[in-house]
Amino acid sequence: DQQVKQNSPSLSVQEGRISILNCDYTNSMFDYFLWYKKYPAEGPTFLISISSIKDKNEDGRFTVFLNKSAKHLSLHIVPSQPGDSAVYFCAASPHSGNTPLVFGKGTRLSVIA
Amino acid sequence: ETGVTQSPTHLIKTRGQQVTLRCSSQSGHNTVSWYQQALGQGPQFIFQYYREEENGRGNFPPRFSGLQFPNYSSELNVNALELDDSALYLCASSLGVGLNTGELFFGEGSRLTVL
């Protein structure tokens, strides 16, 4: 039973354009969401997070949008750069309680120069 | 400030053997979590240690065990290896207490192949 779903295994985008990575969740107790980026032969690194009290969080070229009613979040990268090519994982947890992060399967983003 | 380091980076074992994977957490981080990432999957939570005590466990059998030491190092031990144990094992340290500590700092992982 996948509680965090990233339905697109891969995405290819032209340099300079917008990349949109999507994530859906099923557990209504989740109220804290994170995106991690992973390069080959490296561990995942934290990118950006959002709490359910907000519907948008922005950090430079990266913006995460949260739609609680649809149980959907998305990561927007504008403009996309070749160095953004990596696997992106969506992760979620309840902010209270003692539950670890649940990760999606990841989306491989390729930014083409 | 040093990051999270893991060893070995790659290893090959045969079915039935035992393996020990090591992790050195980021300085000052008292919490360490271990994740298993199978091919094409996201990281799956194995267990977490806080101040040398197991603080939570995912859906993994008892042949997966761990230790945490006072010097911010930790181990993941897997006994009676099975073919399905082939995966990337990730260690992550964090500042918080409890399983939902928010931002995790991951090592580069140890890739285990079981033949």
Side-chain angles (χ1 to χ4, degrees):
Chain A
D1 175 33
Q2 255 194 295
Q3 298 186 71
V4 177
K5 300 178 185 179
Q6 294 178 257
N7 291 321
S8 298
S10 63
L11 175 67
S12 191
V13 171
Q14 224 35 54
E15 181 181 5
R17 306 293 287 267
I18 184 171
S19 296
I20 300 176
L21 295 92
N22 293 305
C23 177
D24 297 293
Y25 60 97
T26 57
N27 189 336
S28 57
M29 298 298 291
F30 289 156
D31 59 5
Y32 185 56
F33 306 90
L34 305 89
W35 285 92
Y36 281 81
K37 179 167 79 170
K38 185 181 185 303
Y39 293 118
E42 295 183 15
T45 55
F46 170 75
L47 189 58
I48 193 169
S49 64
I50 189 167
S51 166
S52 61
I53 61 173
K54 302 173 79 172
D55 53 20
K56 176 183 172 181
N57 189 26
E58 195 170 349
D59 183 2
R61 296 185 297 113
F62 303 90
T63 303
V64 57
F65 295 92
L66 175 62
N67 182 334
K68 291 185 288 294
S69 60
K71 294 192 177 69
H72 176 84
L73 63 154
S74 59
L75 174 68
H76 292 211
I77 306 174
V78 183
S80 302
Q81 299 173 354
D84 296 329
S85 297
V87 177
Y88 290 79
F89 292 101
C90 172
S93 78
H95 209 68
S96 58
N98 205 30
T99 308
L101 284 180
V102 178
F103 285 82
K105 290 186 177 183
T107 297
R108 181 178 300 278
L109 173 66
S110 300
V111 180
I112 303 160
Chain B
E1 183 181 80
T2 58
V4 179
T5 57
Q6 293 185 242
S7 63
T9 53
H10 294 82
L11 71 167
I12 299 173
K13 292 283 188 178
T14 55
R15 202 167 38 179
Q17 284 189 310
Q18 179 266 344
V19 69
T20 297
L21 307 178
R22 294 181 171 82
C23 173
S24 179
S25 295
Q26 194 155 317
S27 181
H29 286 188
N30 291 316
T31 301
V32 64
S33 304
W34 285 89
Y35 283 79
Q36 180 196 66
Q37 187 185 0
L39 197 62
Q41 303 294 316
Q44 290 217 327
F45 176 73
I46 303 175
F47 44 57
Q48 183 190 81
Y49 279 78
Y50 173 70
R51 293 193 171 175
E52 301 153 56
E53 298 279 337
E54 187 177 292
N55 190 39
R57 189 177 185 91
N59 189 25
F60 281 81
R63 59 189 184 83
F64 285 77
S65 63
L67 285 171
Q68 186 187 26
F69 305 100
N71 64 350
Y72 302 114
S73 67
S74 60
E75 290 179 357
L76 165 66
N77 298 288
V78 188
N79 294 322
L81 283 167
E82 300 177 0
L83 298 179
D84 285 350
D85 296 334
S86 296
L88 180 68
Y89 289 85
L90 294 162
C91 167
S93 72
S94 55
L95 275 170
V97 180
L99 297 185
N100 55 340
T101 56
E103 185 180 347
L104 299 173
F105 296 82
F106 284 91
E108 70 272 27
S110 293
R111 183 164 297 283
L112 171 66
T113 301
V114 182
L115 302 177

